[in-house]
Amino acid sequence: LRTASRDLVGRRVFLATPPELAGLGAVVERHLAGMGAGVVSRFDGAEDSALADEANRFEAALFLALRPGDRPGTRVCYFESQRYRSEAGYRMAAAISAEIEPLIGPLDPVNTGGRMRAVLRETRMAAVVIEPVAEHDAADTARLVQHLEALGLAVARGVRRGVEEPLPDTPAEH
C-alpha cells in the first residue's frame, strides 16, 4: 500500500470471516467488489497460519479479517511489536476505525491497536483484524445485526480510504 497507486480498483483483498460473521463478511465483500477491488473470501474460520499462507499465495494487497473479540467492545487491530509497527496496517486500521466510529461510538484506544497475532505477523501485506462484537455477547450481536449493512459499507469505505487517502506518516508511539 505504500508504493502502489492510490486506487482501490483492481487491488486484491483477502477477506477472512468465521461462519458466525458471514453476514457481515458478505456485505463487506459486496461493497469492496462494487468499489472495484478483487476480493477472495473465506467464510470457514480457518486457522490464522493457513489464512496468512493463502493470502500470501494470492498476493493480496490487503488482508482483512472479521472475527469475534475476546472481550466487549469493537477493536481494529494491526501488527505492532515493541520494535516494529506495520505502517500500512496502522494506516488502514486508522482509516477503517474513522469510518466505523460514527456507527458504534468511539473506540477505546487501549483496546484498539497493534496486536501480535499470527495472522498479522505472517502476512506479507497490510493486515487488519476487525473484532466488531465480543464472542457470545447477545447485546453486541443484536447491535451488529441491526447495523449490518451500514457497518459493512463503513468497513469497505474505510478500506477505500486507507488505500486512496492514506494518513500522513506519523512516528510510532511506544
Side-chain angles (χ1 to χ4, degrees):
L1 291 176
R2 274 184 246 164
T3 58
S5 72
R6 301 264 186 239
D7 191 0
L8 182 59
V9 174
R11 290 285 175 109
R12 292 177 171 200
V13 176
F14 189 93
L15 176 64
T17 307
E20 61 268 30
L21 292 177
L24 178 59
V27 173
V28 171
E29 177 184 37
R30 179 170 40 85
H31 286 295
L32 286 173
M35 294 174 184
V39 183
V40 166
S41 299
R42 293 270 314 251
F43 295 108
D44 60 359
E47 293 295 319
D48 281 1
S49 291
L51 292 171
D53 185 52
E54 189 172 342
N56 289 335
R57 283 194 321 268
F58 179 60
E59 297 181 355
L62 173 66
F63 175 90
L64 182 64
L66 305 169
R67 58 176 55 159
D70 57 4
R71 58 187 182 271
T74 299
R75 279 165 298 290
V76 181
C77 306
Y78 58 92
F79 178 78
E80 183 175 30
S81 67
Q82 289 181 330
R83 297 185 309 218
Y84 176 79
R85 174 172 87 176
S86 167
E87 293 301 321
Y90 165 76
R91 293 202 304 254
M92 183 60 66
I96 293 169
S97 294
E99 291 291 330
I100 67 174
E101 278 184 323
L103 295 173
I104 61 170
L107 299 174
D108 182 350
V110 173
N111 291 334
T112 303
R115 288 188 152 196
M116 292 184 56
R117 294 176 178 236
V119 73
L120 297 176
R121 279 192 319 267
E122 296 173 13
T123 52
R124 291 189 302 255
M125 72 284 306
V128 175
V129 173
I130 302 170
E131 298 175 346
V133 297
E135 194 168 26
H136 308 298
D137 186 319
D140 267 359
T141 302
R143 176 184 48 84
L144 176 69
V145 170
Q146 285 182 321
H147 302 289
L148 196 67
E149 183 67 31
L151 185 57
L153 177 57
V155 169
R157 284 182 178 159
V159 169
R160 182 175 60 198
R161 184 176 178 178
V163 169
E164 297 178 358
E165 305 170 21
L167 300 172
D169 289 328
T170 56
E173 296 176 11
H174 296 285

